């Protein structure tokens, strides 16, 4: 054992992995005007609130739509950012978007990713995710910007409890409950003064228009209701028509509303106050640009890819890019990254209104169908790269009306899936709302089968249930059965055994009723996997064996091989090593021949465990390292973390404790981020074993105690028994009575298992009990 590992530090890294320092703030707005009074007030309030015992500063910036709440929040955030070295978080909650607002769980998922937790890893419920979030930021100085919040429910779970954090919230609503219960301070902003409005117009048109009389510019500002959003659009119109006189610009804008004198700029008329400016700019667009703009109101996604927009409008990508450039130039849309765009909620609502007026119901539906078809077929292409051996979803011919995106390799498909993941719930909801249930259930299923390695399991079950309902309405019982199976897998990832078994059971029952052998085999395999996770080996074996009998009568070679692997895994868990080794070696040969990377890695990991059990630790280490290298190629943290346990176990057997601790630490950190507490606890247990071997029994007991507690909470009786047996060893010299209690608990837990490995462990525990004269 070298002196390079500091053990207390190692424990801290496992329990508190180093978090990332996010830098999420959008770019500051170069034409920002004034608001100095509001910023000085926020500075003062922050100074008063920061450092309070149980909460940091919370500021709610309220005001009407288009008044510049977001611009103020971002400007203030950039001013404050140097005071928050641990990071800045930002999210647009889209509380007023015509589509679906971002709920608290989705927002927490994204924040946890930025803090070092992959999106796929957040806990499956809002309360647990919020607790994890608060724990990660508790002792850190982080600035949080929650933009466009519609309700307290959206933001309350996102407000940290740390005294060194500042949270800036923008909303059209007062959010009074935050003031009452969280001590939030409200900053209400109104329209710009006439002087500031003129300054903004002058600043934006500088270099293009210098001769416009001040009183005329002031009149133009009044026609824009002195709202920054409207003023910037008007300024862009003035810049793009430098030879049009200011009088003509004013008359054109005034003509957009014959009721201008009655327009309100208060809370009741906020959309109407900017609509004349929108209409004025919209009418200046070319016919093709105007059509594209109004169709964007039909697009369900939060942020829109250029290829999906091309499908929406049935326009070639090259021409679509030109039209989008013209809309960006007119400030009607924003380009957020190359190839992706978003629309301000007011402009999206206006676009949808124009689509309802200027497009026929048929043309709107066809546009929606095209964009849904594009996502369906592109997701199908991604699935062929990500999960080629399984997860096929039957798709109807798109008739050549769209050009789905294709993918050259695994990485490009994973990149697309990650970029589009947040849009899928909105796409499914739009399909349901439009009565396009066939699209809805297929999109929901592809959201599971074409998931990127980092995609969330936490938010998908709600999408899956919507898909089940849609499939049921169409009478597609196979689709319903497939979705139940996908729900079962998702609940396994979330360590929710009961929910997993219920959904897998429904899938099996449906496929038996449908007399569909292929679907039944897949669902039986899934049910077996769920039972394996909780070490219900006899049930798992029956499921796998029945599935294998089905596929042996005519199933694909991929599925025949998969079931060989799973049956071999049951043998391995049970301690029947010769049977396990034959199956795994057969699987490895097959997968190397066909190039199934993930299945190669799984076979290598299992063969590593077999060799370790048989005393060949060096071979076990070589195989496990090869598996982890494949996991890195797959960008899959779930399998990397799991396969690292095999690397650590082999290093431990070889007495290479430094390397073993490093692997356990990495595995524990990955599993914590993934939300897999059971496998995280296995890494803790392995670390405890090393401490015990080094004679550090007190530290060993701490790790084993935590592992046992976690496995107990999850209902993993087998791993709880292993942890309690090791805890008994760690306590034997210092506290014999507690050691005896742990042995008795382990023995009782092991009564539930009757396979060779379990009997051997139970015999070991009984021998220890006899040594201390306990009759058990």
């Amino acid at each position: 054992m070298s002196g390079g590992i500091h053990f207390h530090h190692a424990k801290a890294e496992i329990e508190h992995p180093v978090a990332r320092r996010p830098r999420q703030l959008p770019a500051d707005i170069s034409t920002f005007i004034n608001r100095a009074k509001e910023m000085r007030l926020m500075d003062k309030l922050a100074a008063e609130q920061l450092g309070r015992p149980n909460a940091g500063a919370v500021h709610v910036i309220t005001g009407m739509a288009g008044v510049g709440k977001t611009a103020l929040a971002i400007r203030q955030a950039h001013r404050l950012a140097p005071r928050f070295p641990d990071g800045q978080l930002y999210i647009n909650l889209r509380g007023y978007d015509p589509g679906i607002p971002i709920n608290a769980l989705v927002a927490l998922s994204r924040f946890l990713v930025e803090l070092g937790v992959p999106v796929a890893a957040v806990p499956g419920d809002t309360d647990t995710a919020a607790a994890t979030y608060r724990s990660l930021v508790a002792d850190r100085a982080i600035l949080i910007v929650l933009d466009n919040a519609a309700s307290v429910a959206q933001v309350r779970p996102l407000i940290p409890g740390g005294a060194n954090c500042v949270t800036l919230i923008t909303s059209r609503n007062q959010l009074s409950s935050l003031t009452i219960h969280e001590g939030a301070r409200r900053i209400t902003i109104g329209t710009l003064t006439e002087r500031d409005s003129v300054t903004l117009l002058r600043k934006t048109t500088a270099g293009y228009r210098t001769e416009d009389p001040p009183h005329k510019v002031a009149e133009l500002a009044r026609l824009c209701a002195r709202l920054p959003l409207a003023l910037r659009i008007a300024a862009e119109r003035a810049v793009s028509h430098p030879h049009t006189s200011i009088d003509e610009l004013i008359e054109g804008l005034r003509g957009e509303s014959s009721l201008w004198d009655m327009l309100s700029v208060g809370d009741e008329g906020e959309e109407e106050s900017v609509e004349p400016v929108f209409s004025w700019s919209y009418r200046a667009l070319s016919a093709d640009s105007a059509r594209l703009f109004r169709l964007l109101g039909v697009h369900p996604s939060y942020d829109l890819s250029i290829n999906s927009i091309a499908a929406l409008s049935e326009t070639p990508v090259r021409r679509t890019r030109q039209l989008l450039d013209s809309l960006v130039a007119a400030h009607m849309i924003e380009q957020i990254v190359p190839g992706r765009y978003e629309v301000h909620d007011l402009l999206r609502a206006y676009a949808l209104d124009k689509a309802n007026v200027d497009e026929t119901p048929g043309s709107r539906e066809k546009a929606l169908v095209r964009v849904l078809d594009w996502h369906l077929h592109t997701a199908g292409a991604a699935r062929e790269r990500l999960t080629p051996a399984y997860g096929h979803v039957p798709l109807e011919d798109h008739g050549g009306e769209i050009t789905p995106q294709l993918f050259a390799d695994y990485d490009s498909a994973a990149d697309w899936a990650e970029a589009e993941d947040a849009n899928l719930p909105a796409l499914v909801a739009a399909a349901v709302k439009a009565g396009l249930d066939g699209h809805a259930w297929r999109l929901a299923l592809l959201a599971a089968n074409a998931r990127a390695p980092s995609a969330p399991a936490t938010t998908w079950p709600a999408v899956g249930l919507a898909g089940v309902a849609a499939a049921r309405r169409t009478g597609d019982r196979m689709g319903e059965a497939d979705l139940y199976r996908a729900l079962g897998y998702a609940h396994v990832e979330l360590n929710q055994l009961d929910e997993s078994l219920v959904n897998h059971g429904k899938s099996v029952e449906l496929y038996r009723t449908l007399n569909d052998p292929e679907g039944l085999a897949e669902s039986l395999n899934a049910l077996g996997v769920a039972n394996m996770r909780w070490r219900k080996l006899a049930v798992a074996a029956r499921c796998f064996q029945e599935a294998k009998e089905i596929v042996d009568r005519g199933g694909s070679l991929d599925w025949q091989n998969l079931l060989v692997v799973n049956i071999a895994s049951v043998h391995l868990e049970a301690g029947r090593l010769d049977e396990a080794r034959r199956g795994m070696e057969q699987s490895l040969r097959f997968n190397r021949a066909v190039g199934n990377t993930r299945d190669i890695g799984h076979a290598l990991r299992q063969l590593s465990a077999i060799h370790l059990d048989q005393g060949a630790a060096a071979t076990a280490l070589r195989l496990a390292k090869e598996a982890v290298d494949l996991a890195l190629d797959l960008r899959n943290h779930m399998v990397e973390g799991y396969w690292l346990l095999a690397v650590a176990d082999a290093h431990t057997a070889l007495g290479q404790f430094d390397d073993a601790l490093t692997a356990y630490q990495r595995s524990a950190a990955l599993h914590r981020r993934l939300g897999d507490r059971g496998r995280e606890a296995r890494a803790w247990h392995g670390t405890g074993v090393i401490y015990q071997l080094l004679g550090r029994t007190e530290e060993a007991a701490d790790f084993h105690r935590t592992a046992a507690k976690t496995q107990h909470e999850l209902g993993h009786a087998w791993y709880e028994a292993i942890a309690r047996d090791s805890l008994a060893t760690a306590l034997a010299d210092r506290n014999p009575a507690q050691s005896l209690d742990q042995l008795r608990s382990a023995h009782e837990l092991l009564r539930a298992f009757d396979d060779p490995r379990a009997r051997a462990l139970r015999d070991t525990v009984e021998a220890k009990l006899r040594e201390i004269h306990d009759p058990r």
Side-chain angles (χ1 to χ4, degrees):
M1 176 70 199
S2 73
I5 294 291
H6 300 282
F7 295 109
H8 288 289
H9 177 65
K11 180 182 176 184
E13 284 195 9
I14 289 179
E15 295 182 349
H16 304 287
V18 176
R20 292 162 52 185
R21 292 175 172 81
R23 299 288 188 270
Q24 287 192 308
L25 294 181
D28 202 357
I29 297 174
S30 60
T31 56
F32 185 86
I33 296 296
N34 204 339
R35 304 297 190 191
K37 178 181 176 182
E38 289 86 351
M39 287 189 289
R40 283 196 300 271
L41 174 60
M42 284 191 282
D43 286 344
K44 177 177 179 292
L45 295 175
E48 293 174 356
Q49 290 176 294
L50 274 173
R52 292 184 307 168
N54 297 314
V58 180
H59 298 159
V60 180
I61 302 171
T62 68
M64 62 180 292
V67 78
K69 299 182 295 296
T70 297
L72 174 58
I74 292 173
R75 169 57 61 94
Q76 179 70 353
H78 278 284
R79 290 178 67 244
L80 294 176
R83 303 186 204 174
F84 296 91
D86 292 326
Q88 302 93 45
L89 294 166
Y90 170 88
I91 189 166
N92 182 353
L93 295 169
R94 304 184 185 276
Y96 304 96
D97 194 278
I100 303 174
I102 302 291
N103 64 40
L105 180 57
V106 172
L108 285 164
S109 300
R110 297 183 190 177
F111 279 2
L112 288 171
V113 168
E114 290 302 318
L115 293 165
V117 181
V119 178
V122 299
D125 64 278
T126 302
D127 289 344
T128 308
T132 303
Y133 166 66
R134 289 193 296 271
S135 295
L136 286 175
V137 303
D139 299 319
R140 306 177 71 196
I142 292 182
L143 177 67
I144 301 105
V145 181
L146 309 176
D147 200 12
N148 290 312
S151 68
V152 171
Q154 266 187 304
V155 296
R156 179 165 279 142
L158 304 170
I159 299 174
N164 299 315
C165 296
V166 165
T167 305
L168 305 181
I169 303 169
T170 72
S171 179
R172 299 182 203 173
N173 300 329
Q174 297 287 308
L175 305 184
S176 299
S177 180
L178 293 183
T179 305
I180 297 169
H181 298 291
E182 274 74 24
R185 303 297 182 90
R186 186 182 301 123
I187 297 92
T188 302
I189 62 173
T191 57
L192 293 174
T193 64
E194 184 171 294
R195 179 179 178 179
D196 286 341
S197 299
V198 170
T199 301
L200 191 155
L201 286 171
R202 290 288 196 196
K203 190 173 183 179
T204 308
T205 60
Y208 295 90
R209 307 182 69 95
T210 58
E211 304 301 324
D212 295 334
H215 71 282
K216 293 291 186 180
V217 178
E219 186 174 357
L220 184 63
R222 287 193 295 274
L223 288 171
C224 293
R226 303 198 309 275
L227 287 165
L229 175 64
L231 287 163
R232 289 190 177 90
I233 293 173
E236 181 55 41
R237 176 77 180 277
V239 165
S240 62
H241 296 79
H243 301 298
T244 301
S245 71
I246 186 90
D247 286 329
E248 290 175 299
L249 292 171
I250 289 170
E251 287 306 311
L253 179 52
R254 194 190 301 279
E256 292 299 332
S257 176
S258 60
L259 300 176
W260 181 252
D261 292 337
M262 300 176 63
L263 283 177
S264 166
V265 294
D267 290 343
E268 296 301 319
E270 53 191 30
E271 286 82 3
E272 289 82 356
S273 66
V274 292
E275 185 173 359
V277 182
F278 293 170
S279 298
W280 184 54
S281 188
Y282 172 73
R283 292 181 190 280
L285 298 171
S286 69
D288 287 346
S289 294
R291 174 179 176 270
L292 180 62
F293 173 74
R294 61 181 177 261
L295 287 180
L296 292 179
V298 178
H299 200 307
S301 296
Y302 294 128
D303 64 277
L304 297 66
S305 71
I306 188 171
N307 290 305
S308 71
I309 295 171
L312 173 84
S313 59
E314 206 172 11
T315 306
V317 172
R318 181 178 296 177
R319 175 59 176 159
T320 300
R321 183 176 288 107
Q322 292 176 328
L323 298 175
L324 288 168
D325 286 345
S326 71
L327 294 176
V328 171
H331 288 277
M332 302 294 275
I333 65 172
E334 293 182 51
Q335 184 173 13
I336 48 177
V337 294
R340 300 194 78 87
Y341 302 82
E342 68 178 5
V343 188
H344 188 284
D345 52 12
L346 279 181
L347 283 162
R348 184 188 282 267
Y350 178 74
L352 181 57
D353 181 65
K354 298 309 294 182
N356 289 335
V357 172
D358 296 339
E359 298 286 332
T360 66
S363 69
R364 294 196 302 272
E365 181 174 339
K366 286 180 181 178
L368 178 61
V369 168
R370 284 193 300 269
V371 78
L372 293 176
D373 277 342
W374 183 86
H375 278 91
L376 273 173
H377 287 271
T378 301
R383 183 210 62 80
E384 291 179 7
R385 293 292 183 184
L386 298 172
T387 56
Y390 44 86
H392 175 71
V393 179
L395 300 178
E396 297 176 355
D397 183 21
H398 55 73
E401 293 187 353
I402 59 166
T403 304
Q405 191 168 335
L406 301 178
F407 304 98
D409 52 29
Y410 180 97
D411 281 337
S412 61
D415 288 341
W416 178 86
E418 287 171 355
E420 290 290 339
D421 181 72
N423 289 323
L424 285 165
L427 289 162
V428 172
V432 169
K433 184 177 180 180
L436 300 169
D437 285 326
H439 287 80
W441 77 256
R442 290 179 175 87
L443 276 168
L445 188 54
L446 278 166
N449 293 346
R451 264 177 46 205
S454 64
T458 50
T459 55
W460 186 83
V463 176
L465 289 173
V468 166
R472 193 174 293 142
R473 287 192 294 271
T474 65
D476 197 314
R477 304 195 74 195
M478 288 189 182
E480 186 181 348
D482 278 348
L483 281 158
Y484 276 128
R485 183 170 66 241
L487 281 164
Y489 276 129
H491 286 297
V492 167
E493 289 186 44
L494 296 170
N495 272 301
Q496 296 167 344
L497 174 62
D498 291 342
E499 294 90 338
S500 176
L501 295 179
V502 166
N503 283 286
H504 282 316
K506 288 180 179 178
S507 180
V508 168
E509 182 181 346
L510 272 170
Y511 274 115
R512 288 196 194 280
T513 302
L514 292 166
N515 195 27
D516 183 308
E518 182 178 342
L520 177 59
E522 292 187 27
S523 291
L524 283 166
N525 176 72
L527 184 59
V529 168
N531 279 285
M532 269 280 288
R533 186 65 184 268
W534 274 264
R535 210 173 187 277
K536 298 176 181 292
L537 299 186
V539 178
R542 288 196 296 271
C543 291
F544 293 146
Q545 190 58 46
E546 183 180 355
K548 188 174 186 303
E549 290 170 2
I550 294 171
V551 299
D552 284 349
R553 293 195 292 266
S556 71
L557 292 177
D558 284 327
W559 271 99
Q560 290 177 27
N561 170 74
L562 180 64
L563 286 158
V564 166
V565 170
N566 287 343
I567 290 170
S569 294
V570 173
H571 288 312
L572 172 57
E573 285 296 317
R576 296 185 286 268
L577 301 184
D578 291 339
E579 295 96 321
R581 184 169 179 169
R582 284 195 294 271
M584 290 301 170
E585 288 176 343
Q586 176 185 334
S587 169
L588 185 59
R589 288 192 297 271
F590 173 84
N591 285 305
R592 287 198 192 280
V594 300
N596 287 342
T597 303
R598 178 166 172 168
D599 291 341
I600 292 170
H602 181 64
L604 288 168
R605 190 265 174 222
Q606 299 294 71
L607 281 168
S608 171
I610 293 167
H611 281 283
L612 189 63
D613 274 353
Q614 293 178 330
T619 301
L621 179 60
R622 175 179 58 80
L623 294 171
K625 283 185 171 180
E626 187 179 345
V628 169
D629 287 342
L630 294 177
L632 295 173
D633 291 339
L634 290 169
R635 295 159 49 171
N636 191 316
H637 285 167
M638 180 177 71
V639 296
E640 180 191 351
Y642 181 46
W643 296 346
L644 274 168
L645 289 174
V647 171
D649 291 345
H651 276 308
T652 301
L654 290 167
Q656 299 165 353
F657 298 143
D658 285 9
D659 293 330
L661 278 172
T662 299
Y664 280 135
Q665 289 170 35
R666 171 71 175 160
S667 176
L670 286 171
H671 284 126
R672 166 165 289 199
R673 294 171 189 171
L674 289 167
D676 194 329
R677 297 174 62 217
R679 286 178 176 168
E680 182 186 4
R682 289 172 63 178
W684 290 341
H685 172 263
T687 304
V689 169
I690 293 175
Y691 277 82
Q692 183 67 35
L693 291 170
L694 293 166
R696 305 288 293 270
T697 57
E698 186 174 349
E699 291 93 338
D702 285 343
F703 278 104
H704 292 315
R705 190 177 289 109
T706 305
K709 178 177 182 292
T710 301
Q711 301 293 9
H712 177 76
E713 291 171 353
L714 295 173
H716 289 310
W718 172 253
Y719 289 110
E720 182 187 351
I722 291 174
R724 294 197 182 281
D725 175 42
S726 296
L727 177 56
T729 300
L731 293 170
D733 293 333
R734 291 185 299 110
N735 197 323
Q738 286 188 15
S739 176
L740 178 59
D741 287 343
Q742 295 300 325
L743 283 174
R744 288 171 174 169
S745 295
H747 187 268
E748 187 63 30
L749 288 164
L750 290 169
R751 290 181 184 276
F753 307 99
D754 193 35
D755 54 84
R757 190 184 296 276
R759 288 196 296 272
L761 180 56
R762 191 164 59 244
D763 289 345
T764 299
V765 172
E766 288 175 353
K768 292 177 181 179
L769 289 168
R770 284 195 298 272
E771 285 181 14
I772 53 179
H773 310 293
D774 189 289
R776 304 186 192 194

